[in-house]
Amino acid sequence: MSMPRVMFVVALAGMVSAAAAAPAKRAGDFALLDHQGYFHQLSYYDDHKAVALLVQANGSKATARSIEAFKQAKEKYKGKIKFFMINPTGTETRSSVQAEVDKYGTDIPVLMDDTQLVSEALGVQKAGEVVLVRPGSTEVVYRGPVGKHFDRAVEQLLSDQPVAKATARVSGEKIKYAKTVKTHGTKVSYSKDIAPIIAENCARCHREGGIAPFAMNSHAMVQGFAPMIREVVLTKRMPPGQIDPYVGEFKETYTLTPEETQKLVHWIEAGAKKDGDVDPLAQLKWPETKWAFGEPDLIIKVPPQEIPATGVLDYIRVVVPIEIDRDRWVRASQYVPGDRTVLHHTLNDLIWPGERPAGFLAAGNPNKARITAYIPGAQPQMEPPNTGGLLKKGSQLALQLHYTTNGKATVDASEIGLWFYPDDQIPTERMSNQCACIFTRGWVPIPPYEPDHEMTSTITISKDAYIYSMLPHMHFRGKRMRFYADYPDGTTEELLNIAKYNYNWQLDYELKEPKFVPAGTKIRVVGAFDNSAQNKANPDPSRTVPWGQQSWDEMFFGSVTYKYVDQSEAQQLLSKEGG
């Protein structure tokens, strides 16, 4: 079961409203993916004096005329000004933009403004114009052509002088905002448009008793937080756990669609007004239980752990007997933390009676029940139909518990819920899992202040299989993780792009339909770490970072869950084991 999309709002200054094609003084912070799927946020580049954005449009003569001068300016002001192009059309594909970039002969990233909202905020009007923005204040200090006026503006900016000529005439194709005009002003209805977006994407966490800090249970609450909602949506921090919506097809991308984003932002800009006599958010009803699939058939109580207010804690290992009166087949599980503010993550190992522990990260027996562990943002785990694992009478669950202190002493009393198949239903199929992991052997220490330290790990799928899901795990310096399938015929396909990894939301991304991969397919996982001072979550950018279990060290896990087409091996093994 996929975790519902959420909008957990964090307070930051909101972006100011900007009408379509109207020149802006302050643009506000924003984030976009470029034409190769890499994440960029304006405020991240506040170690530069400014960010320069050349407006790119496919087939534009104005862009083509400007590109050489823009490339020269990039070299001239390297390390002082950050250079991008931005495509504001909202209609181009990444491949078509890549073809244009190839013609330009440049590696300058093109930011893809699929919603056109960032271009609106910047006041973009014509292809070929350059917008110069201070990444800290988000002030637009220059707009006009690249050339002498641009150079003079940059030199004045670098000398901490006012920009004397903030605008200059540009000859270029006019940018059309047809996509966003539909949602301007009063054209968006709270009851018909906005409330359904909030209900679907936000309210399941933003409710009374939810994990978010406040409830979006009325128009008044949403209106009160509207500026913050706008900011976190435009910087892609909410909904959390976002992945690239243009790579693969998943049950959840944890993103709003461009149309949903346009409606929500323009509604906020128009005053976040209410219409209708009934408030749909006030009518929402939520299950009273914390359990995703109703009351579990069995609840495993993890021994309570007393966590001090401060200090570094060693990993805690416990073994919990599982009290059942007969063998059962497990179809679902859920880990409910007692105090999620201190529980960092868990690992587990199911030990059948008479067995020795296999280890927390061992591949394991495919016939064993899969019991979900805990990671930030963890989702309940439901097996596909006719799929499950065996929990034998007398089994034990070994747990490794990792806690981090938060300044307040507490007790964590977690629970694990299990749901069984009926006794007369024995699932005949099993899931398998491999981790494209890097441990101490193979780890390349992350250099101090390195903003983009890439590592790669590969696993091989030995038999024909269907991939069901992929899950990342890194620590505070984790920047991105991308999964690729390198097929035996020499072709490659990208499966998943977590463009902005977030340590707080390590989700299991489940494909909408299982993905067939032939025997011999290599799953290549490419991850990057940001050890620079620009990474606001970085504990210490001056440190050379090793592999390690604590959060201030780093890890690299790219987990892949799949099912073999031929299930006979698992069935034969089960027969030998007397299952």
Side-chain angles (χ1 to χ4, degrees):
M1 177 177 176
S2 176
M3 176 181 169
R5 291 186 289 176
V6 295
M7 189 176 294
F8 170 38
V9 178
V10 181
L12 279 181
M15 292 172 65
V16 298
S17 175
K25 188 61 177 175
R26 292 187 186 274
D29 198 10
F30 62 83
L32 295 170
L33 302 189
D34 68 26
H35 69 293
Q36 294 183 330
Y38 294 101
F39 177 93
H40 303 277
Q41 185 168 342
L42 176 65
S43 59
Y44 178 87
Y45 299 104
D46 63 4
D47 56 341
H48 292 70
K49 279 287 189 177
V51 171
L53 298 159
L54 171 63
V55 180
Q56 185 272 341
N58 286 4
S60 165
K61 294 180 180 179
T63 303
R65 286 195 306 266
S66 304
I67 194 67
E68 283 303 320
F70 197 65
K71 287 158 60 176
Q72 292 171 13
K74 176 177 178 287
E75 292 304 312
K76 182 178 180 180
Y77 299 115
K78 187 175 182 179
K80 300 175 182 177
I81 307 294
K82 187 69 179 179
F83 284 76
F84 294 101
M85 289 183 276
I86 183 169
N87 185 297
T89 64
T91 59
E92 302 292 351
T93 64
R94 290 179 183 175
S95 58
S96 68
V97 171
Q98 181 64 64
E100 289 287 295
V101 171
D102 292 341
K103 294 177 186 177
Y104 302 152
T106 183
D107 60 356
I108 298 175
V110 181
L111 306 182
M112 302 294 290
D113 186 11
D114 297 330
T115 67
Q116 295 190 300
L117 293 170
V118 171
S119 300
E120 277 189 357
L122 291 167
V124 167
Q125 300 178 60
K126 294 181 179 180
E129 74 175 330
V130 177
V131 180
L132 198 60
V133 189
R134 292 182 185 270
S137 67
T138 77
E139 177 187 6
V140 176
V141 295
Y142 171 83
R143 68 175 64 253
V146 66
K148 62 180 182 180
H149 296 306
F150 173 79
D151 286 346
R152 189 174 298 118
V154 170
E155 295 295 345
Q156 290 170 340
L157 197 61
L158 295 177
S159 301
D160 293 322
Q161 299 175 6
V163 174
K165 189 174 180 64
T167 60
R169 183 178 177 275
V170 178
S171 177
E173 299 86 351
K174 187 175 180 180
I175 300 301
K176 298 179 180 179
Y177 285 89
K179 288 185 69 175
T180 60
V181 167
K182 298 176 183 178
T183 56
H184 272 295
T186 59
K187 298 175 182 177
V188 179
S189 161
Y190 165 75
S191 60
K192 296 178 181 179
D193 298 310
I194 300 305
I197 293 173
I198 299 295
E200 175 66 21
N201 300 283
C202 319
R204 293 189 185 182
C205 289
H206 282 274
R207 60 185 175 92
E208 295 295 337
I211 64 173
F214 62 90
M216 291 188 186
N217 54 8
S218 69
H219 167 266
M221 288 295 291
V222 175
Q223 187 181 51
F225 285 97
M228 288 193 295
I229 294 172
R230 185 182 190 278
E231 193 275 338
V232 296
V233 167
L234 287 175
T235 55
K236 297 186 183 296
R237 293 197 301 131
M238 292 291 141
Q242 293 187 23
I243 58 177
D244 185 342
Y246 298 104
V247 175
E249 293 188 24
F250 292 83
K251 291 185 176 179
E252 290 285 357
T253 62
Y254 302 93
T255 61
L256 300 179
T257 66
E259 294 76 15
E260 288 172 334
T261 307
Q262 289 163 357
K263 287 179 180 179
L264 181 58
V265 169
H266 285 151
W267 175 75
I268 291 172
E269 291 177 348
K273 297 176 182 178
K274 183 177 181 292
D275 60 86
D277 298 327
V278 177
D279 187 342
L281 294 184
Q283 307 300 310
L284 294 176
K285 303 294 183 184
W286 304 102
E288 295 183 3
T289 179
K290 61 189 174 185
W291 300 107
F293 313 117
E295 196 64 20
D297 296 316
L298 177 70
I299 297 176
I300 301 172
K301 293 189 177 295
V302 180
Q305 304 297 322
E306 294 187 5
I307 309 303
T310 59
V312 178
L313 306 182
D314 293 331
Y315 280 33
I316 297 171
R317 290 169 172 81
V318 297
V319 177
V320 184
I322 301 176
E323 298 180 358
I324 53 176
D325 59 5
R326 61 193 186 280
D327 294 354
R328 299 301 302 266
W329 290 90
V330 176
R331 65 184 179 95
S333 61
Q334 180 183 359
Y335 196 112
V336 176
D339 188 341
R340 68 180 71 248
T341 68
V342 294
L343 184 59
H344 176 282
H345 76 267
T346 72
L347 296 174
N348 64 44
D349 176 28
L350 179 60
I351 306 169
W352 277 354
E355 279 189 335
R356 297 182 62 182
F360 292 112
L361 293 172
N365 183 337
N367 288 305
K368 282 187 176 182
R370 293 199 307 154
I371 298 177
T372 187
Y374 176 80
I375 53 175
Q379 304 125 296
Q381 178 177 282
M382 173 67 79
E383 300 285 12
N386 193 33
T387 304
L390 182 61
L391 179 61
K392 290 188 175 183
K393 178 183 177 181
S395 294
Q396 297 176 306
L397 188 66
L399 291 159
Q400 182 190 80
L401 309 173
H402 180 195
Y403 292 98
T404 55
T405 55
N406 65 3
K408 180 181 178 181
T410 186
V411 174
D412 174 65
S414 296
E415 297 177 316
I416 304 170
L418 301 182
W419 290 263
F420 301 136
Y421 280 95
D423 287 327
D424 60 352
Q425 292 184 25
I426 298 178
T428 60
E429 298 187 349
R430 312 284 180 260
M431 300 298 285
S432 297
N433 179 274
Q434 281 195 75
C435 182
C437 295
I438 303 175
F439 296 101
T440 50
R441 178 182 293 182
W443 185 265
V444 179
I446 306 171
Y449 302 105
E450 172 56 50
D452 199 271
H453 183 73
E454 235 179 40
M455 295 189 195
T456 302
S457 183
T458 302
I459 58 174
T460 300
I461 309 295
S462 60
K463 299 184 295 183
D464 288 358
Y466 286 94
I467 293 177
Y468 277 75
S469 66
M470 291 156 279
L471 181 148
H473 175 69
M474 297 182 281
H475 291 167
F476 289 128
R477 297 172 178 85
K479 184 175 184 178
R480 65 176 177 272
M481 187 170 278
R482 304 178 81 153
F483 290 69
Y484 300 88
D486 295 327
Y487 296 116
D489 65 2
T491 60
T492 293
E493 179 181 9
E494 187 166 13
L495 302 177
L496 170 65
N497 176 20
I498 306 157
K500 180 65 169 73
Y501 174 83
N502 186 333
Y503 173 74
N504 294 310
W505 297 96
Q506 301 170 45
L507 305 178
D508 192 18
Y509 296 100
E510 188 176 355
L511 289 160
K512 187 176 291 185
E513 297 293 338
K515 176 76 174 178
F516 175 77
V517 293
T521 297
K522 296 182 183 298
I523 306 300
R524 176 167 45 93
V525 181
V526 181
F529 300 89
D530 184 355
N531 195 25
S532 74
Q534 295 306 108
N535 175 5
K536 306 309 179 188
N538 192 349
D540 183 2
S542 68
R543 185 168 174 254
T544 298
V545 184
W547 184 94
Q549 295 182 330
Q550 297 293 346
S551 301
W552 50 81
D553 296 326
E554 274 301 336
M555 288 184 176
F556 183 115
F557 291 179
S559 178
V560 183
T561 299
Y562 53 92
K563 183 190 291 186
Y564 287 125
V565 173
D566 182 0
Q567 291 280 315
S568 61
E569 186 175 326
Q571 292 295 330
Q572 291 167 7
L573 180 60
L574 184 63
S575 297
K576 290 180 181 179
E577 293 164 340

